[in-house]
Amino acid sequence: MQGRLLMLLVFSICFTRGSFKSCPKIPVQKNFTLSEFMGTWFEIESLNTNLVKGDCIAHTFSQSADNWIHVNTTEKRDNGKRILYIGKLSPANVKEDAKLQILLSEGIYLDFGPPHDEFSFIPYDVLATDFRSYSLVYSCTQHYFTPTIYAWILSRGSQLDENTIKALEDILKANNINIDKMQQIDQKDCP
């Protein structure tokens, strides 16, 4: 009985002090057109990504006859081996076109949280893009009492100028996203 009371007291203190956090709500790109987003994007920087761990990371988005957006992600591991990950992308919110969701289905090592079944979608929000050269994508998944935040800076080419990278990082910072662990993705000597 005392154990239950102590547990209830601890939970009460945690709730009243706001120690349980939820995923930040960040505004997405306005006037987003999914068809313009199609094509290949090279990963320039990533935050908290345990999904794909190598170099030469590229994501190719293509519309299919079944109305899904197919996502093929490739990476090169340290041993030189190329790995292909397959997923599907779909709109998550009819009122906000840049709010998408991705279903990771084949080849993915989901070691960043609870097990996902074949119907588990992950948020994939496009915060900023000009469709021609850069995109900033944000995702947040809730794991128990804390959010896990992901972000990707993408480019149509294997490089992106520093001013654009800084401007995209500033969007994350302005929304209280800590980018201290943002990692640069090596896109040199890629096939």
Side-chain angles (χ1 to χ4, degrees), residues 39 134 155 186:
Y134 69 84
S155 175
D186 187 0

Side-chain angles (χ1 to χ4, degrees), residues 92 99-102 121-125 137-141 152:
K99 275 196 162 305
L100 306 168
Q101 56 188 1
I102 191 164
F121 283 92
I122 298 170
Y124 196 86
D125 296 347
V137 176
Y138 159 81
S139 183
C140 184
T141 55
W152 299 270

Side-chain angles (χ1 to χ4, degrees), residues 50-164:
N50 292 330
L51 294 174
V52 182
K53 300 176 181 178
D55 298 326
C56 303
I57 301 168
H59 310 274
T60 301
F61 300 86
S62 59
Q63 182 88 42
S64 66
D66 61 4
N67 287 327
W68 280 97
I69 307 302
H70 287 264
V71 183
N72 290 338
T73 298
T74 57
E75 72 167 308
K76 182 178 81 173
R77 288 286 173 103
D78 289 340
N79 62 6
K81 191 176 193 177
R82 299 282 297 164
I83 298 176
L84 170 67
Y85 303 96
I86 299 170
K88 294 179 178 183
L89 190 74
S90 72
N93 185 328
V94 293
K95 294 180 181 179
E96 294 179 282
D97 293 336
K99 275 196 162 305
L100 306 168
Q101 56 188 1
I102 191 164
L103 174 65
L104 305 170
S105 55
E106 298 174 31
I108 297 293
Y109 301 104
L110 294 176
D111 59 356
F112 61 90
H116 285 58
D117 62 30
E118 64 181 290
F119 300 108
S120 293
F121 283 92
I122 298 170
Y124 196 86
D125 296 347
V126 181
L127 303 183
T129 187
D130 69 352
F131 301 103
R132 297 177 317 279
S133 61
Y134 69 84
S135 283
L136 174 61
V137 176
Y138 159 81
S139 183
C140 184
T141 55
Q142 194 72 32
H143 299 282
Y144 307 105
F145 301 117
T146 60
T148 302
I149 296 170
Y150 306 93
W152 299 270
I153 293 177
L154 307 174
S155 175
R156 288 293 189 186
S158 61
Q159 297 179 16
L160 192 60
D161 69 89
E162 288 300 318
N163 291 337
T164 303

